[in-house]
Amino acid sequence: GLQAAAANLGSVRASAGGYGYLSEPLWWIGVAAMASGEVCNFAAYAYAPATIVTPLGALSIIISAVLAHYILRERLTMSGWVGCALCVAGSVEIVLHAPEEAPAVGVQALAALAMKPLFVLYSLVAVGSATWLAIEVAPKHGNTYLLVPIMICSLMGSLSVVSCKTLGLALKMTFHGNNQLFYVETWVCVSCVVICVMTQMNYLNKALDRFNTAIVTPVYYVCFTTLTLTASSVMYEDYMRQSTRDVIASFAGFVTILCGVYVLTTSKDGPDVAKQLKRDGTTPRRESDEEL
């Protein structure tokens, strides 16, 4: 959808601030597919810790890389497949040593956790950093450095996961007869989810339009997972329910994922792929773009 919009004469690319992709049916099909996946993801957060659900997002790396290989013709080498395998192995390690889900409590109790000084500090740093990147850095370097839009997505995404988990637990308790919809905190979570998700979609579209899909997905996964695990640990103190061995094993699993993402990233399209993390000022030329 982004490529089709970019191919239209007179259309401004998403990376340049355009929204021509909104008129592309294929883009809306992709959004619908993403929405369906996020609904399932949202349900998962209501029944399991974020430290389990988020790392399983490594599966999206494999699916995206394979689809990009066959549909967008962004070549995936043997090293890329090894990188995908490492991502899955690391995710399995994290899941096997993840903490158990904490007992369900009301939305007001969760809001009290969110008001702890350490999490308030994290939230202020995340929102402040994302705002600074969006206002000061993105207009100048957003089309050159992949990490600019990705960090905005990841910072806001870490807060959206915490809000989604809280909202999911509220709905879960409501469906079991303990209505949580009358609390202001529930609707504050709804507002946070909407704002964060809209911000994520906007800057993720910019990144996908400017950079190679098979590079954006794994880099986004690493940044998003790192910040989400940080936010979840700060708010819910998941590590307090783990033994030292489990904490070490979880860390080792995450390092394995990082190694897998590095292998996958540097294996794409030959030795110049590392340069995908930084673009020059020209319009990107991908094999799939040339065929449009």
Side-chain angles (χ1 to χ4, degrees):
L2 292 173
Q3 292 178 5
N8 292 332
L9 295 177
S11 178
V12 181
R13 298 183 70 113
S15 58
Y19 296 94
Y21 55 83
L22 294 176
S23 62
E24 293 294 331
L26 187 59
W27 184 84
W28 285 106
I29 293 174
V31 170
M34 289 179 61
S36 300
E38 289 305 316
V39 169
C40 297
N41 209 31
F42 176 79
Y45 281 121
Y47 292 93
T51 49
I52 293 180
V53 178
T54 305
L56 288 179
L59 295 175
S60 67
I61 295 179
I62 298 176
I63 296 173
S64 296
V66 172
L67 291 179
H69 178 79
Y70 289 106
I71 298 177
L72 302 181
R73 300 188 181 182
E74 297 174 353
R75 186 169 54 88
L76 186 63
T77 64
M78 182 58 66
S79 297
W81 292 107
V82 173
C84 290
L86 287 174
C87 290
V88 174
S91 295
V92 171
E93 183 73 10
I94 290 178
V95 169
L96 290 177
H97 297 277
E100 296 182 359
E101 174 71 324
V105 292
V107 67
Q108 289 185 313
L110 294 176
L113 291 178
M115 293 306 296
K116 293 190 301 183
L118 192 57
F119 184 76
V120 171
L121 177 61
Y122 174 85
S123 300
L124 291 176
V125 171
V127 173
S129 299
T131 302
W132 175 72
L133 287 171
I135 296 176
E136 297 293 334
V137 182
K140 300 177 182 178
H141 306 291
N143 289 336
T144 304
Y145 294 95
L146 171 60
L147 285 178
V148 175
I150 290 300
M151 284 305 299
I152 296 175
C153 291
S154 301
L155 287 166
M156 299 304 291
S158 66
L159 297 179
S160 71
V161 166
V162 173
S163 300
C164 279
K165 182 169 180 60
T166 302
L167 182 59
L169 289 172
L171 293 176
K172 176 183 175 182
M173 296 181 68
T174 299
F175 293 149
H176 284 82
N178 187 358
N179 197 333
Q180 302 288 306
L181 300 181
F182 293 112
Y183 296 111
V184 176
E185 291 84 352
T186 301
W187 298 104
V188 170
C189 286
V190 173
S191 301
C192 290
V193 170
V194 171
I195 294 173
C196 292
V197 169
M198 290 180 64
T199 303
Q200 285 178 266
M201 288 188 63
N202 183 37
Y203 283 94
L204 186 57
N205 277 319
K206 292 178 183 293
L208 289 170
D209 181 58
R210 181 62 178 167
F211 299 92
N212 192 306
T213 305
I215 303 301
V216 173
T217 303
V219 173
Y220 177 48
Y221 171 79
V222 169
C223 296
F224 174 73
T225 302
T226 300
L227 292 173
T228 297
L229 294 180
T230 301
S232 179
S233 296
V234 170
M235 179 172 175
Y236 297 105
E237 297 182 342
D238 296 322
Y239 57 87
M240 298 297 292
R241 301 191 302 277
Q242 290 179 286
S243 65
T244 303
R245 178 181 177 182
D246 287 335
V247 172
I248 295 175
S250 297
F251 179 76
F254 188 64
V255 171
T256 302
I257 293 176
L258 294 180
C259 293
V261 169
Y262 176 79
V263 172
L264 177 60
T265 301
T266 56
S267 68
K268 286 292 297 180
D269 294 327
D272 293 331
V273 176
K275 296 181 181 178
Q276 290 282 338
L277 296 175
K278 178 183 177 182
R279 285 277 195 180
D280 57 21
T282 61
T283 301
R285 299 292 295 174
R286 293 185 291 191
E287 188 177 342
S288 52
D289 291 334
E290 295 173 353
E291 296 191 1
L292 290 175

